[in-house]
Structure formats: structure tokens, C-alpha cells
Amino acid sequence: MITFERVTKQYEGGSTALRDVSFHLDSGEMVFLTGHSGAGKSTLLRLVLMLEQATRGQVLVDGHNLSRMPMRQAPRIRRNVGMIFQDHKLLKDKTVFDNVSLPLMIAGLRYQDIRKRVRAALDKVGLLSKEKSWPLTLSGGEQQRVGIARAIVGMPPVLLADEPTGNLDPELSRELFGLFRQLNEQGVTVLIASHDLALIRSMGQRVLVLSQGMLVDDIPGADIAGARA
Amino acid sequence: MSLSGVRRRSRSWGRRQLFSLFSSLGTLLSHRVGTLMTVMVLGIAMALPIGLYITVKNLHALDLQQEQWGNLTVFLKTNVGEQQARALQRTIDQEPGARAEAISPEAGMEQFRQASGFGQALDMFEENPLPWVIVVTPEPAEGEELQTVVLRLEAWLQQREETDLVQVDFKWLQRLAGLLELGDALVSVLTVLFSLAAVVVISNTIRMDVANRSEEIQVLSLVGAGNGFIRQPFLYSGFWYGLLGALLALLLFNLCLYFISQPLERLLDAYGNSFTVVNLGVGGFLFVLLCGGLLGFIGAWISVQRYLNQINSSGSLARF
């Protein structure tokens, strides 16, 4: 589903965010991406979302070679990738319902269908009762779940999350990861960038480790502590 | 692509348009004061060329009453008496393409007294200083130019020994035509200038709108909105601004017309013209509205496209 082949990303000014990174994610896999801040986790996710393009090497998502695509095709790719942001990226002047419905509005669905699917997505994250609320009246954990509902409402085959538990307490974080696992069990490929090692260990899934832009470890799920627990 | 595919795509396109249409209206209504000020600037700016256009159009309508403007006024010498004057009038009447009317000094004085309001001053004359006057109305035959007839009559009348002076309103007519031409050119220039001003005003308003909503634009981009989807609500906003501006312009213009049309008609009636002020008409109204909307659309397009080029090229979108 996601393949990186010797990917290097250099920024103007010479700083190198990713060096010669190669890995492959099968469809339906759930993988954690970890490393210190500045290790290149966000850059890697940005490349998958086609917010920028690799300097060298190939990035393949769902059969599309993003390195060979013109940037104007990026919206088409982004519609197939659900992204969850650390700071939620919700629109404050729109209700929860309207925020979650954005990807479907963009796709031009019928209002009846939008309603049905938004409510299903909100139900899945346990926020159906909050559909008419404004984002700022919700707690951090609830806002994050609205962000997740927006990411999954279009039923994308790939889900990315950038430090989704960054501002949450341990219990909420565990709940959130449980939600990701549920989505993964329904066949969605999930890639989560996080530096919460204890939590990652408890999940027992494959882990990619980045350090200074290089992929220094690729640990199979079976070797993670949580798998034996 | 299959037919049903095309149908599905066009339907979702239509839904996106509707979404943009309403979301743009919502934005405009949520900033009532700002919207009102922009619309007022646009309205006043657009009212000016419309006003001038209608003024010139009305002058053109005057122009149509050429018969009156082509009259020749023949002032006879003061020693020419009634008999001679009447004889000359009959001679002219027999001439092809002309109709003559003799005005006695007394009748002339009476007309002057009524028209000028110098009644008391005129009483100071011991005797009537006015000569006999013959007013000649040219009547060109089918296919004949008014100007040729007038020039022929003028030359012939000037040779007569009874004639002191022949005055032709034709010069006036030529000057009026020249003025109208100038007016037409002025309308064109003003229309271009004020259209440009409208585009700039709307473009600037939308630019601020875009800046205020840059966060929303970025989020939309992140969840997969293409340039078209992001552009649409702003284009519709521009369209609404232009349309409302044009509507206000028409309103302002008609209000002005309402106040000046009656005195104007009275004034022109005093010149012997039965005159009704010509307005734009339904077609003209719709045309102005359409042009306003179109100008708004163009102005909005310029601003949004500039912003989209900026965020796409600078990669600022990537700094989430």
C-alpha cells in the first residue's frame, strides 16, 4: 500500500530530513513510526500525503508513483489518505458535523449520503451526541476524535496520524490507539507517528524507527513486547 | 467514461456549486457592515457611467426631432411691409421641399414677451423694433438629405432683396452631433475606467477575505480539496459583490432620475419639445446586473488565483 524506495528529502538551504529511506507497508497493516523529534517522522508523512515531493527516490501510495506525479494531482491522492493532525486542524467557525463532512462536500456527495456517513463516522468515535457542538467547546481528546472522524468519513484505504496523542493523558491515548486498532481490523492501512514508546510497546505492532533522517530499525510486530503480553 | 459516470460527475459538480453558492452567501451575510461598504463603493462607482450613458442617450433622442432643428429663420429688412412679406411667404410655400410661416412684428413681440419675461422692459420701446420674420421648415423629399435641402433654401433666400438675414439652426445641429459624439466617447472611457475600478475594489475585498480564511483554505487543501473547490466560494462572493453593487447603482441612478426628470421635462417642454426621459429598459437593467456580476467574478478570480499560486509554490501548505 505504501512503498518508499531509497527516498531522500532535502530542503532548500541544504538540511536533509530523510536519507535513503526504504520500506514497504502491505495493505491492511498497522505500523508505528517512531524516533526523536526532528528525526523525519513528519516529513515522511508529508511525502505520503503529497504535501511535498521527494528529492530522490520513489514514493508509491496505492499504486500511484507520487514522485512522478505533477503537484496539481495532489488533491486526488489526499482524498485517498485520511490524515490526523496533532493540532486537529479543525475549523473553529464550523460545527462538528460540518467539519467532519468537509471531505464528502469536496467529493460532491448527496446531502442525504453525507448525513448518513458523517453520523456513522461520529458514532464510531463516540461523538454522535456532539454533532451540533462547536470544536472549541470540546475537550482536547474529543477534538482529536472529531479529527479522526473527518479522516475516516471518506473511507480512505490509508490512515496517517502525526503524534495523535501528543496532548492527551495516558488513558485517553490508550483509548485512541484502541480506536486505530479497530479501524485497522476493518482493513484500513494505518501508519502512526508517535514517540510514546510505552504505548507503542503495548500495541504489539510493527515499528519503524527513524533517527536523523535514516531508517535505523524495522521491528516486526512479533518482536514487540505487547505481542507476548 | 460511461454515460452514468458522466451523469454522476456532473451531479456532484452541481452539488459542489450549490455548496459554494450558499457558503459564499453565508460569508457575505456574516460580515454585513463590510459587505455593505464594499457594495456602496461599487454602487456609486457604477452609477456614474450609467448616468452619463443615459444622459447621452436622451440627447440622442432629442436629435431624432431633426425637423425642428433644421428650420431656417428669415429676418426681412425693416422697410418690408406686410404685403411683401405675405407674398414672399407664398412664393416660398410653392417652392418644393419647403413650408413657410410668416410672423408679424406684433406677434413676434408677443412671443418674446411671454418666453423671455422681459415684458416691462419691452414697454419702454416706443415702436416695435422687430421686422417681419418668415420661418421656413424644410421638408426633404424621399431619399433627400435634410442638409442639402437646407443649404439650397439658405442660398436661395439669401439672394432675395427682402432678406436681411437667414439664420439656420443647422449649425447648432452639427454642434450637437459633435457633442454627442464626444459624449459617446466619454461614456466608453468612463465605463472602462469604472469597470477597472470595480474589479480592483472587488479583488481587494476578496484578497482580504482570502487572507482571513487562509486557515480554512489550508485545512481544505489538507483534506483533499482541489484549487477549483477552494476557488468557488470566493468567485461566488465576487459575483455577489458585483451583482449587489450593480443593483445599488441602478437604484441610486433611478433615484436621481426621479428627482431630475420632472424639472428636466418641464425645461425641455419650454423649448417646445414634448419630451419624455428615456430610461435603461428591462434589457439594459439585466445587462448592467450581468456586467456587475461578471466584473466581480473576474476580480475574485485574480485574488484567489494569486493566493493559490503563492501557497502551492512556497510549500507553506507543508508546514502543518
Side-chain angles (χ1 to χ4, degrees):
Chain A
M1 186 56 81
I2 300 175
T3 305
F4 274 52
E5 279 172 20
R6 311 202 60 173
V7 172
T8 295
K9 177 65 189 176
Q10 264 170 339
Y11 287 110
E12 278 171 51
S15 66
T16 307
L18 289 177
R19 279 172 221 269
D20 208 15
V21 172
S22 299
F23 67 87
H24 175 78
L25 257 67
D26 272 327
S27 181
E29 254 192 293
M30 179 166 179
V31 177
F32 287 94
L33 181 64
T34 190
H36 295 292
S37 54
K41 301 190 294 285
S42 295
T43 302
L44 194 151
L45 295 183
R46 282 206 285 266
L47 290 176
V48 178
L49 205 55
M50 212 174 161
L51 290 168
E52 41 196 0
Q53 287 183 302
T55 317
R56 277 191 298 280
Q58 318 268 335
V59 177
L60 285 96
V61 176
D62 202 9
H64 300 285
N65 189 338
L66 306 193
S67 312
R68 294 224 184 109
M69 260 187 185
M71 274 308 267
R72 67 187 150 76
Q73 299 266 30
R76 213 154 60 86
I77 296 301
R78 285 176 210 151
R79 271 174 246 157
N80 277 322
V81 179
M83 175 81 191
I84 293 144
F85 305 92
Q86 182 173 6
D87 59 354
H88 327 316
K89 294 274 176 207
L90 300 179
L91 296 175
K92 296 173 198 73
D93 59 347
K94 287 194 179 352
T95 62
V96 167
F97 182 94
D98 287 346
N99 265 287
V100 175
S101 69
L102 279 180
L104 304 182
M105 292 285 190
I106 292 165
L109 261 62
R110 285 195 313 163
Y111 183 71
Q112 295 95 303
D113 294 340
I114 290 177
R115 218 180 128 69
K116 219 184 299 168
R117 286 172 67 170
V118 169
R119 293 180 65 112
L122 282 173
D123 194 28
K124 194 167 278 178
V125 299
L127 284 176
L128 192 50
S129 60
K130 303 273 186 186
E131 62 172 331
K132 292 195 180 89
S133 306
W134 302 95
L136 291 180
T137 64
L138 302 179
S139 71
E142 285 171 330
Q143 289 186 33
Q144 190 57 281
R145 282 187 281 159
V146 174
I148 294 171
R150 186 182 63 194
I152 62 173
V153 76
M155 301 182 193
V158 180
L159 204 56
L160 306 179
D162 190 23
E163 301 284 356
T165 60
N167 304 318
L168 303 181
D169 60 49
E171 196 173 331
L172 279 174
S173 301
R174 225 187 319 281
E175 258 181 58
L176 206 62
F177 276 23
L179 185 60
F180 284 132
R181 176 142 47 193
Q182 264 181 42
L183 292 166
N184 174 244
E185 279 161 5
Q186 287 158 18
V188 181
T189 309
V190 183
L191 177 59
I192 302 168
S194 173
H195 59 250
D196 193 340
L197 287 175
L199 200 56
I200 291 172
R201 240 176 248 132
S202 74
M203 297 296 288
Q205 302 283 352
R206 182 179 164 195
V207 178
L208 299 174
V209 185
L210 280 175
S211 176
Q212 292 176 342
M214 285 180 286
L215 188 64
V216 293
D217 219 342
D218 184 347
I219 314 162
D223 293 355
I224 300 291
R228 288 181 299 246
Chain B
M1 200 192 309
S2 69
L3 188 64
S4 71
V6 172
R7 219 177 276 152
R8 199 178 55 241
R9 266 168 169 249
S10 63
R11 249 188 249 134
S12 47
W13 181 85
R15 276 183 220 117
R16 279 194 294 264
Q17 299 296 322
L18 271 179
F19 171 72
S20 305
L21 185 74
F22 287 115
S23 88
S24 68
L25 251 186
T27 310
L28 251 63
L29 289 177
S30 66
H31 308 288
R32 269 182 222 114
V33 179
T35 303
L36 196 71
M37 295 219 294
T38 305
V39 168
M40 272 174 67
V41 170
L42 290 172
I44 293 167
M46 290 187 201
L48 282 167
I50 298 175
L52 190 67
Y53 169 73
I54 288 298
T55 308
V56 173
K57 197 175 163 187
N58 275 296
L59 288 175
H60 275 296
L62 274 182
D63 191 9
L64 290 175
Q65 300 161 347
Q66 280 189 356
E67 206 189 349
Q68 287 241 312
W69 296 111
N71 277 2
L72 295 102
T73 310
V74 186
F75 294 92
L76 302 183
K77 290 181 176 141
T78 37
N79 57 7
V80 175
E82 177 160 10
Q83 264 189 338
Q84 271 175 294
R86 297 259 181 232
L88 180 60
Q89 183 226 323
R90 277 191 295 277
T91 318
I92 296 171
D93 253 344
Q94 279 155 19
E95 192 71 11
R99 189 160 45 80
E101 188 195 350
I103 297 169
S104 70
E106 293 72 36
M109 180 62 93
E110 198 46 46
Q111 272 185 17
F112 187 61
R113 195 190 295 277
Q114 277 175 7
S116 67
F118 286 124
Q120 287 184 330
L122 291 177
D123 290 337
M124 288 163 64
F125 287 106
E126 280 174 15
E127 55 186 85
N128 190 342
L130 295 178
W132 273 84
V133 171
I134 297 177
V135 176
V136 182
T137 308
E139 290 179 329
E142 196 102 4
E144 206 175 7
E145 280 281 327
L146 177 70
Q147 195 162 356
T148 29
V149 180
V150 171
L151 290 176
R152 178 163 53 80
L153 288 172
E154 186 188 13
W156 175 64
L157 287 165
Q158 222 138 31
Q159 285 168 13
R160 309 274 315 183
E161 57 179 44
E162 303 96 320
T163 305
D164 184 29
L165 176 75
V166 181
Q167 212 177 47
V168 188
D169 290 337
F170 216 80
K171 297 251 159 54
W172 214 95
L173 193 65
Q174 279 173 332
R175 276 179 213 139
L176 180 71
L179 277 173
L180 284 177
E181 221 168 291
L182 183 70
D184 283 340
L186 218 59
V187 168
S188 306
V189 170
L190 272 186
T191 304
V192 170
L193 278 179
F194 279 96
S195 298
L196 218 63
V199 169
V200 170
V201 167
I202 292 170
S203 174
N204 191 46
T205 307
I206 297 290
R207 190 180 58 81
M208 290 190 284
D209 221 11
V210 168
N212 286 336
R213 290 166 67 187
S214 62
E215 196 196 342
E216 184 179 343
I217 293 175
Q218 299 213 359
V219 170
L220 282 171
S221 295
L222 288 174
V223 299
N227 283 354
F229 185 84
I230 292 169
R231 203 159 34 209
Q232 272 165 30
F234 294 107
L235 295 186
Y236 277 114
S237 291
F239 177 79
W240 287 123
Y241 278 130
L243 193 79
L244 291 174
L247 199 66
L248 182 70
L250 289 171
L251 219 73
L252 281 175
F253 163 72
N254 276 286
L255 204 67
C256 293
L257 201 63
Y258 172 77
F259 281 114
I260 65 170
S261 69
Q262 277 196 339
L264 187 68
E265 277 172 21
R266 260 202 302 275
L267 177 76
L268 285 163
D269 279 342
Y271 277 88
N273 284 299
S274 70
F275 183 80
T276 354
V277 174
V278 181
N279 206 332
L280 269 176
V282 179
F285 268 61
L286 292 179
F287 182 73
V288 169
L289 288 180
L290 191 75
C291 284
L294 200 67
L295 291 175
F297 195 84
I298 295 169
W301 184 288
I302 294 171
S303 280
V304 181
Q305 200 52 48
R306 264 177 55 101
Y307 183 78
L308 285 175
N309 291 345
Q310 210 179 319
I311 62 168
N312 287 341
S313 66
S314 71
S316 65
L317 200 57
R319 307 276 98 78
F320 62 76

